């Protein structure tokens, strides 16, 4: 009886589920691949068009625009339907990528990155928003696991394609390849996705006050991560004040950015969002700095360091795929194991990254990275599916689209906090900072985040 109630991967291969799941997963993959691809290409871009003082703004503006795209995804979907919404997202993303490919200066490149981020936020949020209306509830965890798996694919393809094109001096061609990817996604969306959802969706009004506070908080936090100490400290304080103002405004507003109960940690929905955000901080701190530490502290090449960082997503993907059909009892065990495994892995990295290469240290680093990714993959698909179930009546679509809003915000704040730690280390080391202390503290920060989720587990219903 139980086996029949838990659908497997074969169920996604039947009927219209396969083409729809493939197209939506491709949207997530397109955003993720371009994220890692752009990060790999940026040094070559700066060497060609200049603009080193604005290097960090490529990431900051992209993240802020992605948050905006994720926020407006539900409104776009309600107004235009699944097919037209995905086509519009692909068009904006392709336009931004083309502008990056043609950029004669850093100013034009930044404009392209804003468009890329806006389209990428839509490409990332729309698939999650469509899970509820396109697939039956028993398939939600499987589809969520498929989306998680796309990040594993991206961490291999992104650095690989970026490294090869940058090494050959063909960074513009790499952006044109992203344009072709957006065109392929648009063609698939036009063929596979329905014009309208099964049930009509009310067009939500944009909560402009909260949206402005959110974008300002994310932008200030992103800037704080790249400012030198001590200027980053008041910048982080301002970001925290803006976030507090956002929570106060959202709690009394008639037009909301998140569903009712999203900020109430005593309830299941608020706990789900909080746990999801804390795990996102762990992943962000790890992915953003592992390539740097592998190169600077262990003498690895950029390509090898990129693939070393991909072990995190490889572990995530394997765990998400294998555990997405788990029974309720196994889900509870996953929830108990994941924070502890994540903290243990990050603690191991805090010690191992600072040790000289040799004696199997690098092999242990790889094991810790894969285990850290597996810890997140064990619970992430179930967290996303549970948000859809726990959302208040009439707000399920808002809850689905806001999943990526919460995670993108957590990413911005996580990078800002880790960047502050890095700047503290650089401030004590002059022109040649000692990165070993930075590695210890950054991974210690990454270990604290999953442990902070433990008090919330009693409120979760996976």
């Amino acid at each position: 009886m139980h086996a029949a109630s838990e659908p497997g991967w074969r169920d996604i291969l039947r009927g219209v589920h396969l083409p729809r799941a493939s197209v939506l997963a491709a949207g997530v993959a397109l955003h993720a691949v371009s994220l890692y691809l752009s990060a790999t290409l940026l040094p070559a871009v700066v060497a060609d068009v200049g603009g080193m003082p604005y290097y960090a703004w490529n990431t900051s503006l992209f993240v802020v625009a992605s948050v905006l795209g994720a926020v407006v995804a539900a409104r776009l979907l309600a107004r235009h339907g699944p097919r037209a919404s995905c086509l519009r997202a692909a068009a904006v993303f392709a336009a931004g990528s083309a502008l990056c490919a043609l950029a004669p200066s850093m100013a034009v490149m930044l404009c392209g990155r804003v468009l890329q981020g806006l389209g990428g936020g839509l490409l990332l949020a729309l698939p999650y928003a469509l899970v509820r209306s396109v697939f039956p509830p028993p398939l939600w965890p499987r589809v969520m696991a498929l989306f998680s798996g796309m990040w594993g694919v991206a961490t291999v393809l992104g650095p690989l394609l970026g490294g090869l094109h940058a090494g050959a001096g063909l960074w513009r061609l790499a952006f044109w390849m992203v344009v072709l990817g957006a065109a392929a996604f648009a063609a698939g969306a036009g063929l596979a996705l329905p014009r309208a959802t099964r049930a009509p969706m009310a067009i939500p009004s944009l909560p402009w006050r909260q949206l402005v506070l959110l974008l300002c908080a994310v932008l200030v936090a992103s800037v704080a991560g790249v400012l030198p100490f001590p200027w980053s400290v008041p910048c982080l304080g301002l970001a925290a004040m803006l976030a507090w103002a956002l929570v106060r405004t959202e709690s009394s507003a008639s037009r909301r950015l998140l569903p009712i109960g999203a900020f109430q940690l005593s309830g299941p929905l608020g706990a789900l969002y909080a746990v999801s955000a804390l795990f996102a901080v762990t992943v962000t701190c790890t992915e953003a700095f592992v390539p740097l530490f592998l190169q600077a502290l262990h003498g690895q090449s950029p390509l090898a360091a990129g693939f070393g960082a991909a072990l995190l997503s490889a572990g995530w993907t394997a765990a998400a795929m294998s555990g997405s059909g788990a029974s309720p009892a196994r889900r509870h065990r996953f929830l108990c194991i994941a924070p502890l495994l994540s903290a243990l892995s990050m603690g191991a990295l805090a010690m191992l990254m600072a040790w000289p290469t040799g004696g199997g240290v690098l092999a242990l680093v790889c094991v810790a990275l894969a285990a850290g990714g597996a810890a997140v993959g064990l619970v992430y698909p179930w967290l996303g599916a549970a948000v859809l179930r726990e959302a208040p009546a009439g707000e399920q679509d808002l809850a689905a689209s806001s999943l990526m809003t919460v995670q993108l915000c957590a990413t911005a704040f996580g990078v800002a906090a880790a960047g502050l730690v890095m700047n503290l280390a650089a401030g004590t080391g002059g022109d040649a900072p000692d990165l070993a202390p930075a590695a210890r503290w950054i991974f210690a920060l990454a270990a604290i985040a999953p442990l902070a989720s433990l008090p919330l587990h009693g409120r979760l219903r996976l």
Side-chain angles (χ1 to χ4, degrees):
M1 291 294 293
H2 176 70
S5 63
E6 297 290 347
W9 289 106
R10 291 182 179 179
D11 295 274
I12 295 182
L13 303 179
R14 297 173 181 169
V16 298
H17 296 326
L18 176 60
R20 291 179 177 179
S22 299
V23 167
L24 295 179
V28 175
L30 188 59
H31 170 89
V33 168
S34 69
L35 188 65
Y36 294 111
L37 177 75
S38 300
T40 308
L41 292 173
L42 276 177
V45 173
V46 170
D48 189 7
V49 304
M52 178 58 77
Y54 303 98
Y55 185 96
W57 282 91
N58 282 274
T59 300
S60 298
L61 293 178
F62 182 88
V63 171
V64 171
S66 294
V67 171
L68 177 60
V71 169
V72 302
R75 181 179 177 86
L76 184 70
L77 183 60
R79 183 179 292 275
H80 299 290
R83 184 185 301 175
S85 296
C86 288
L87 291 177
R88 284 168 167 78
V92 174
F93 186 78
S97 301
L99 194 58
C100 291
L102 296 170
S105 65
M106 181 54 70
V108 178
M109 173 62 67
L110 292 176
C111 292
R113 292 291 284 162
V114 170
L115 281 177
Q116 250 197 342
L118 180 61
L122 290 169
L123 287 173
L124 195 58
L126 283 172
Y128 287 90
L130 283 168
V131 167
R132 176 178 167 271
S133 59
V134 172
F135 301 99
L139 288 181
W140 289 353
R142 295 290 188 180
V143 178
M144 292 288 187
L146 183 63
F147 293 168
S148 293
M150 294 302 100
W151 287 93
V153 173
T155 51
V156 175
L157 287 181
L160 176 62
L161 294 176
L164 292 176
H165 283 84
L170 300 174
W171 65 267
R172 295 182 187 273
L173 179 60
F175 281 112
W176 285 120
M177 291 182 64
V178 175
V179 175
L180 291 177
F185 167 77
L191 293 173
L193 297 181
R195 292 183 180 273
T197 54
R198 289 194 294 263
M201 298 174 57
I203 300 177
S205 300
L206 285 179
W208 287 109
R209 289 184 298 168
Q210 298 97 299
L211 185 57
V212 170
L213 287 170
L214 173 63
L215 295 179
C216 290
V218 173
L219 180 59
V220 172
S222 300
V223 173
V226 298
L227 285 179
F229 182 81
W231 301 108
S232 54
V233 176
C235 203
L236 276 177
L238 177 59
M241 291 177 60
L242 289 168
W244 177 80
L246 168 64
V247 174
R248 291 293 301 270
T249 304
E250 177 81 355
S251 61
S252 60
S254 57
R255 292 183 294 178
R256 291 184 307 280
L257 193 64
L258 300 176
I260 295 174
F263 292 109
Q264 297 174 2
L265 296 182
S266 59
L269 187 60
L272 285 167
Y273 277 125
V275 172
S276 177
L278 288 168
F279 274 105
V281 169
T282 299
V283 172
T284 297
C285 291
T286 306
E287 284 187 335
F289 292 97
V290 162
L292 173 63
F293 293 146
L294 286 177
Q295 293 178 63
L297 300 176
H298 293 272
Q300 300 299 303
S301 68
L303 189 59
F307 280 114
L311 288 172
L312 184 80
S313 289
W316 177 335
T317 301
M321 293 292 188
S322 61
S324 60
S327 65
R330 288 184 65 196
R331 296 174 212 169
H332 178 72
R333 288 197 294 270
F334 289 165
L335 189 62
C336 296
I337 293 171
L340 301 178
L341 178 59
S342 179
L344 181 63
S345 301
M346 295 301 106
L349 289 173
M351 294 185 295
L352 294 170
M353 275 295 184
W355 283 3
T357 300
V361 170
L362 197 58
L364 291 175
V365 167
C366 293
V367 172
L369 286 169
V376 181
L378 285 174
V379 295
Y380 241 55
W382 297 109
L383 291 174
V387 166
L388 301 184
R389 292 195 305 269
E390 296 292 343
E395 294 193 330
Q396 291 91 343
D397 298 304
L398 178 60
S401 62
S402 64
L403 272 171
M404 284 300 101
T405 303
V406 172
Q407 292 179 22
L408 285 169
C409 292
T411 295
F413 282 99
V415 169
L420 177 59
V421 172
M422 179 64 70
N423 286 332
L424 287 171
T428 60
D431 294 331
D434 183 4
L435 293 180
R440 293 190 187 99
W441 284 106
I442 284 176
F443 288 117
L445 173 67
I448 291 172
L451 292 178
S453 72
L454 288 173
L456 301 171
H457 287 187
R459 304 177 182 93
L460 302 182
R461 294 193 293 265
L462 300 187

